[in-house]
Amino acid sequence: MSISHGYRASWWTYALHQVPHSNFQFEVVDSNFAPQDWNYQQALLFLAGIAGLCLAISLVLICVYLIRFCCCISQEEDDSKSHRACCVTWSCVAAVIICCAGIGIGFYGNSETNDGVYQVTYSLMNANHTLTSIDLLISDTVELLNSVVKSDLTQLEEVFSKRPEYLVIFRNTRRQVESVAQYLAEISFWKGVDLNPNVVAEQVNFIEDYRWLAYILLLLLDLIICLFTLLGLAKQIKWLVIVMTVVSFFVLLLSWGSMGLEMATAVGLSDFCYDPDGYVMNQTQIVTNISPDILQYYISCYQDVPNPFRQRLTMSQRALSNIHSQLYGLEKEAVPQYPTAEKHLLVVQSMLNTTEGNFHHLVALLNCRGLHKDYVDALKGLCYDGMEGILFLLLFSFLSALSFTAAICSLPRAWKQFQSRDLDYDDMDEDDPFNPQARREMLRVAGRPHLPSFYSYSSSCGSHNSLRVSAPPISNAPVSQYMNQSGLFSGNPRFENVPLIERQSPPPSYSPSMRTSFISTTQEETDTQYRTELVS
């Protein structure tokens, strides 16, 4: 388990790390993170294959259900059919609601994963800045020391060539300056390394951008399917429901495929996050050939771990102190005797001050706290936020797959119910204003000038035969259908307070016998009124 200061593997990392690892021969494989090992790769592929097995099971269930739906014609009563239709509709709605909940979880997981990867790339760039600053500071300081040795110290040796006691001091100063340059050059451990953290961060960021975009498109596609499915069910649009069923089948394949990829990624990432120090140290040593002591110093950053640069830094600091004291003594004793040496001594002292400032800055950069903080931040981003996001994406894929499986099984029954309702309308009388289709037609043509009905007494003929000829045809439809359809106009003020003969429509509830009685009564009233007019 990881021993990095400030990082501890989470409980879900520990739980996923305990998942059994087996290859294609069903042999147990070590759960240590080893992506180069073929057996370990087989173990991850085996875990991804579990999602493929679930896909096969769901396809078999869908096929069995659809075959039973197409081949088995149920001979059930009307009440049972209506109850089944209600259950089918609500099962579709429940599947869509569960899918919408999964989409919300997916958006959150995608954002968490992106935040974790962004933190990794930021930490890599910050570490690259620190390592580059160390190399640049060491190279500038060494170059400055070498230039002073070749120019000013050589000139001072020529000036004091006739004074052996001063010449010995300058030669000793020159050797110490060269030793400081050598110590600093040996400290530079990242110079000439093939690994560039900035390039790695750019590659990771490039891959993450496409991963984030792919999941956004998948989530939006699921959301659009859910919304259009609800619209098709609410408006009973058969072609829209059929299209959404076909699209749902392809999204079902994507959901199970993404679930397999996320499952393998989650288990592999948990294996890495369980003990990241060992893998990072081994791979970094293989790629960069850096000393294991240096890697252990920056990865662990404990007080018990010795600083591998301490000895060279201490010797460099002593040499700089000796050079400073020697130059201070020469400035007091030799400059009054040799005024021409003052200019070169000031240049050497300026070099010494600059070197001491660079040295203190270098000591701060070489401290393990900076690079170790970047390392821990990268681990937290990858193993906390990244792992949490992948788990939420895994849950989204699972809920989406289950929802689309249920929807594919339920939607065909739903559009079948739409078709059966249309067939019921074909058996009704087209002239019946209480027919829902006739009512829609009446609402559509609303605003047109109203034509008087054949029931009106204002007919130009006004004869007994004209009323009989213009009587509507008698329908043989069942009474129960007209009784049910008449309920649509209950409570409508247009028909409540108008006399029956002036409503320009048959009675709300009628049968063929009732229609015959209605026509005969109307005829008798017309004959009576006609006789009264003749008598008068």
Side-chain angles (χ1 to χ4, degrees), residues 114-138:
N114 185 260
D115 292 341
V117 175
Y118 174 77
Q119 188 172 354
V120 172
T121 56
Y122 178 79
S123 300
L124 288 174
M125 292 180 180
N126 196 14
N128 181 73
H129 177 72
T130 302
L131 295 173
T132 304
S133 299
I134 292 174
D135 288 341
L136 184 61
L137 186 61
I138 291 176

mmCIF file of all heavy atoms in Angstrom, residues 114-138:
data_model
loop_
_atom_site.group_PDB
_atom_site.id
_atom_site.type_symbol
_atom_site.label_atom_id
_atom_site.label_comp_id
_atom_site.label_asym_id
_atom_site.label_seq_id
_atom_site.Cartn_x
_atom_site.Cartn_y
_atom_site.Cartn_z
ATOM 1 N N ASN A 114 -12.879 14.643 -15.369
ATOM 2 C CA ASN A 114 -12.146 15.729 -16.021
ATOM 3 C C ASN A 114 -11.375 16.571 -15.013
ATOM 4 O O ASN A 114 -10.227 16.970 -15.283
ATOM 5 C CB ASN A 114 -13.133 16.590 -16.807
ATOM 6 C CG ASN A 114 -12.442 17.678 -17.610
ATOM 7 O OD1 ASN A 114 -12.408 18.836 -17.190
ATOM 8 N ND2 ASN A 114 -11.901 17.322 -18.754
ATOM 9 N N ASP A 115 -11.974 16.826 -13.852
ATOM 10 C CA ASP A 115 -11.268 17.583 -12.814
ATOM 11 C C ASP A 115 -10.040 16.829 -12.315
ATOM 12 O O ASP A 115 -8.975 17.433 -12.087
ATOM 13 C CB ASP A 115 -12.204 17.873 -11.647
ATOM 14 C CG ASP A 115 -13.312 18.845 -12.037
ATOM 15 O OD1 ASP A 115 -13.150 19.551 -13.060
ATOM 16 O OD2 ASP A 115 -14.342 18.882 -11.336
ATOM 17 N N GLY A 116 -10.175 15.520 -12.135
ATOM 18 C CA GLY A 116 -9.033 14.735 -11.675
ATOM 19 C C GLY A 116 -7.897 14.711 -12.679
ATOM 20 O O GLY A 116 -6.719 14.881 -12.316
ATOM 21 N N VAL A 117 -8.225 14.534 -13.946
ATOM 22 C CA VAL A 117 -7.181 14.516 -14.976
ATOM 23 C C VAL A 117 -6.545 15.896 -15.120
ATOM 24 O O VAL A 117 -5.334 16.021 -15.337
ATOM 25 C CB VAL A 117 -7.766 14.027 -16.313
ATOM 26 C CG1 VAL A 117 -6.731 14.114 -17.429
ATOM 27 C CG2 VAL A 117 -8.259 12.602 -16.174
ATOM 28 N N TYR A 118 -7.344 16.956 -14.997
ATOM 29 C CA TYR A 118 -6.789 18.307 -15.054
ATOM 30 C C TYR A 118 -5.807 18.538 -13.909
ATOM 31 O O TYR A 118 -4.758 19.174 -14.096
ATOM 32 C CB TYR A 118 -7.921 19.333 -14.992
ATOM 33 C CG TYR A 118 -7.425 20.761 -14.897
ATOM 34 C CD1 TYR A 118 -6.935 21.427 -16.016
ATOM 35 C CD2 TYR A 118 -7.454 21.441 -13.681
ATOM 36 C CE1 TYR A 118 -6.479 22.734 -15.921
ATOM 37 C CE2 TYR A 118 -6.997 22.745 -13.573
ATOM 38 C CZ TYR A 118 -6.512 23.391 -14.704
ATOM 39 O OH TYR A 118 -6.061 24.679 -14.596
ATOM 40 N N GLN A 119 -6.122 18.026 -12.734
ATOM 41 C CA GLN A 119 -5.204 18.165 -11.608
ATOM 42 C C GLN A 119 -3.910 17.403 -11.864
ATOM 43 O O GLN A 119 -2.822 17.858 -11.484
ATOM 44 C CB GLN A 119 -5.875 17.668 -10.327
ATOM 45 C CG GLN A 119 -5.079 17.946 -9.068
ATOM 46 C CD GLN A 119 -5.857 17.627 -7.806
ATOM 47 O OE1 GLN A 119 -7.033 17.298 -7.878
ATOM 48 N NE2 GLN A 119 -5.206 17.711 -6.676
ATOM 49 N N VAL A 120 -3.992 16.252 -12.519
ATOM 50 C CA VAL A 120 -2.784 15.494 -12.861
ATOM 51 C C VAL A 120 -1.914 16.285 -13.829
ATOM 52 O O VAL A 120 -0.692 16.410 -13.656
ATOM 53 C CB VAL A 120 -3.163 14.126 -13.454
ATOM 54 C CG1 VAL A 120 -1.928 13.408 -13.988
ATOM 55 C CG2 VAL A 120 -3.846 13.263 -12.401
ATOM 56 N N THR A 121 -2.533 16.833 -14.879
ATOM 57 C CA THR A 121 -1.753 17.593 -15.860
ATOM 58 C C THR A 121 -1.151 18.856 -15.238
ATOM 59 O O THR A 121 -0.013 19.220 -15.558
ATOM 60 C CB THR A 121 -2.649 17.975 -17.043
ATOM 61 O OG1 THR A 121 -3.789 18.702 -16.571
ATOM 62 C CG2 THR A 121 -3.136 16.730 -17.767
ATOM 63 N N TYR A 122 -1.899 19.512 -14.371
ATOM 64 C CA TYR A 122 -1.365 20.701 -13.700
ATOM 65 C C TYR A 122 -0.167 20.343 -12.821
ATOM 66 O O TYR A 122 0.838 21.079 -12.796
ATOM 67 C CB TYR A 122 -2.463 21.353 -12.865
ATOM 68 C CG TYR A 122 -2.007 22.567 -12.098
ATOM 69 C CD1 TYR A 122 -1.861 23.793 -12.730
ATOM 70 C CD2 TYR A 122 -1.718 22.486 -10.731
ATOM 71 C CE1 TYR A 122 -1.430 24.911 -12.028
ATOM 72 C CE2 TYR A 122 -1.295 23.588 -10.025
ATOM 73 C CZ TYR A 122 -1.152 24.805 -10.684
ATOM 74 O OH TYR A 122 -0.722 25.908 -9.983
ATOM 75 N N SER A 123 -0.253 19.241 -12.109
ATOM 76 C CA SER A 123 0.861 18.822 -11.257
ATOM 77 C C SER A 123 2.087 18.447 -12.099
ATOM 78 O O SER A 123 3.221 18.762 -11.725
ATOM 79 C CB SER A 123 0.437 17.643 -10.383
ATOM 80 O OG SER A 123 -0.651 17.998 -9.543
ATOM 81 N N LEU A 124 1.857 17.788 -13.232
ATOM 82 C CA LEU A 124 2.984 17.446 -14.106
ATOM 83 C C LEU A 124 3.664 18.696 -14.655
ATOM 84 O O LEU A 124 4.907 18.776 -14.716
ATOM 85 C CB LEU A 124 2.496 16.564 -15.250
ATOM 86 C CG LEU A 124 2.114 15.124 -14.898
ATOM 87 C CD1 LEU A 124 1.514 14.417 -16.102
ATOM 88 C CD2 LEU A 124 3.331 14.351 -14.399
ATOM 89 N N MET A 125 2.886 19.673 -15.051
ATOM 90 C CA MET A 125 3.479 20.914 -15.555
ATOM 91 C C MET A 125 4.229 21.661 -14.461
ATOM 92 O O MET A 125 5.302 22.231 -14.707
ATOM 93 C CB MET A 125 2.387 21.801 -16.149
ATOM 94 C CG MET A 125 1.764 21.258 -17.409
ATOM 95 S SD MET A 125 0.478 22.356 -18.071
ATOM 96 C CE MET A 125 -0.016 21.427 -19.519
ATOM 97 N N ASN A 126 3.684 21.661 -13.258
ATOM 98 C CA ASN A 126 4.363 22.324 -12.148
ATOM 99 C C ASN A 126 5.664 21.607 -11.798
ATOM 100 O O ASN A 126 6.699 22.252 -11.531
ATOM 101 C CB ASN A 126 3.441 22.366 -10.937
ATOM 102 C CG ASN A 126 3.912 23.357 -9.898
ATOM 103 O OD1 ASN A 126 4.772 24.205 -10.162
ATOM 104 N ND2 ASN A 126 3.358 23.274 -8.702
ATOM 105 N N ALA A 127 5.644 20.277 -11.807
ATOM 106 C CA ALA A 127 6.878 19.519 -11.561
ATOM 107 C C ALA A 127 7.899 19.761 -12.663
ATOM 108 O O ALA A 127 9.110 19.871 -12.394
ATOM 109 C CB ALA A 127 6.553 18.034 -11.453
ATOM 110 N N ASN A 128 7.448 19.848 -13.902
ATOM 111 C CA ASN A 128 8.365 20.138 -15.002
ATOM 112 C C ASN A 128 9.004 21.519 -14.838
ATOM 113 O O ASN A 128 10.196 21.703 -15.136
ATOM 114 C CB ASN A 128 7.618 20.059 -16.327
ATOM 115 C CG ASN A 128 8.514 20.322 -17.510
ATOM 116 O OD1 ASN A 128 9.341 19.510 -17.899
ATOM 117 N ND2 ASN A 128 8.358 21.499 -18.126
ATOM 118 N N HIS A 129 8.222 22.485 -14.364
ATOM 119 C CA HIS A 129 8.776 23.818 -14.115
ATOM 120 C C HIS A 129 9.848 23.772 -13.030
ATOM 121 O O HIS A 129 10.900 24.429 -13.154
ATOM 122 C CB HIS A 129 7.649 24.763 -13.711
ATOM 123 C CG HIS A 129 8.110 26.131 -13.357
ATOM 124 N ND1 HIS A 129 8.570 27.046 -14.274
ATOM 125 C CD2 HIS A 129 8.203 26.757 -12.138
ATOM 126 C CE1 HIS A 129 8.917 28.166 -13.686
ATOM 127 N NE2 HIS A 129 8.702 28.028 -12.380
ATOM 128 N N THR A 130 9.609 23.009 -11.978
ATOM 129 C CA THR A 130 10.607 22.896 -10.903
ATOM 130 C C THR A 130 11.890 22.232 -11.398
ATOM 131 O O THR A 130 13.002 22.712 -11.132
ATOM 132 C CB THR A 130 10.014 22.102 -9.729
ATOM 133 O OG1 THR A 130 8.831 22.747 -9.264
ATOM 134 C CG2 THR A 130 11.016 21.994 -8.595
ATOM 135 N N LEU A 131 11.754 21.130 -12.119
ATOM 136 C CA LEU A 131 12.946 20.428 -12.622
ATOM 137 C C LEU A 131 13.706 21.283 -13.637
ATOM 138 O O LEU A 131 14.947 21.306 -13.635
ATOM 139 C CB LEU A 131 12.514 19.106 -13.259
ATOM 140 C CG LEU A 131 11.895 18.079 -12.312
ATOM 141 C CD1 LEU A 131 11.349 16.897 -13.104
ATOM 142 C CD2 LEU A 131 12.923 17.606 -11.288
ATOM 143 N N THR A 132 12.991 21.985 -14.481
ATOM 144 C CA THR A 132 13.653 22.862 -15.451
ATOM 145 C C THR A 132 14.363 24.015 -14.752
ATOM 146 O O THR A 132 15.472 24.413 -15.160
ATOM 147 C CB THR A 132 12.616 23.406 -16.449
ATOM 148 O OG1 THR A 132 11.931 22.311 -17.060
ATOM 149 C CG2 THR A 132 13.287 24.233 -17.531
ATOM 150 N N SER A 133 13.744 24.541 -13.700
ATOM 151 C CA SER A 133 14.375 25.629 -12.946
ATOM 152 C C SER A 133 15.656 25.152 -12.281
ATOM 153 O O SER A 133 16.661 25.895 -12.245
ATOM 154 C CB SER A 133 13.408 26.167 -11.894
ATOM 155 O OG SER A 133 12.239 26.677 -12.504
ATOM 156 N N ILE A 134 15.678 23.927 -11.765
ATOM 157 C CA ILE A 134 16.894 23.385 -11.150
ATOM 158 C C ILE A 134 18.016 23.270 -12.183
ATOM 159 O O ILE A 134 19.159 23.706 -11.935
ATOM 160 C CB ILE A 134 16.593 22.022 -10.499
ATOM 161 C CG1 ILE A 134 15.668 22.193 -9.294
ATOM 162 C CG2 ILE A 134 17.887 21.329 -10.083
ATOM 163 C CD1 ILE A 134 15.205 20.887 -8.693
ATOM 164 N N ASP A 135 17.709 22.698 -13.326
ATOM 165 C CA ASP A 135 18.740 22.551 -14.359
ATOM 166 C C ASP A 135 19.237 23.898 -14.858
ATOM 167 O O ASP A 135 20.449 24.103 -15.060
ATOM 168 C CB ASP A 135 18.188 21.741 -15.533
ATOM 169 C CG ASP A 135 18.009 20.280 -15.200
ATOM 170 O OD1 ASP A 135 18.628 19.816 -14.221
ATOM 171 O OD2 ASP A 135 17.233 19.595 -15.897
ATOM 172 N N LEU A 136 18.321 24.828 -15.064
ATOM 173 C CA LEU A 136 18.719 26.140 -15.570
ATOM 174 C C LEU A 136 19.560 26.900 -14.546
ATOM 175 O O LEU A 136 20.567 27.542 -14.904
ATOM 176 C CB LEU A 136 17.458 26.935 -15.922
ATOM 177 C CG LEU A 136 17.679 28.312 -16.551
ATOM 178 C CD1 LEU A 136 18.421 28.182 -17.871
ATOM 179 C CD2 LEU A 136 16.348 29.030 -16.751
ATOM 180 N N LEU A 137 19.165 26.827 -13.280
ATOM 181 C CA LEU A 137 19.914 27.519 -12.242
ATOM 182 C C LEU A 137 21.314 26.926 -12.084
ATOM 183 O O LEU A 137 22.310 27.665 -11.939
ATOM 184 C CB LEU A 137 19.144 27.433 -10.919
ATOM 185 C CG LEU A 137 19.695 28.229 -9.745
ATOM 186 C CD1 LEU A 137 19.725 29.710 -10.070
ATOM 187 C CD2 LEU A 137 18.850 27.978 -8.498
ATOM 188 N N ILE A 138 21.436 25.618 -12.126
ATOM 189 C CA ILE A 138 22.753 24.982 -12.007
ATOM 190 C C ILE A 138 23.623 25.314 -13.208
ATOM 191 O O ILE A 138 24.823 25.651 -13.068
ATOM 192 C CB ILE A 138 22.591 23.463 -11.849
ATOM 193 C CG1 ILE A 138 21.972 23.132 -10.486
ATOM 194 C CG2 ILE A 138 23.934 22.761 -11.995
ATOM 195 C CD1 ILE A 138 21.691 21.665 -10.290
#
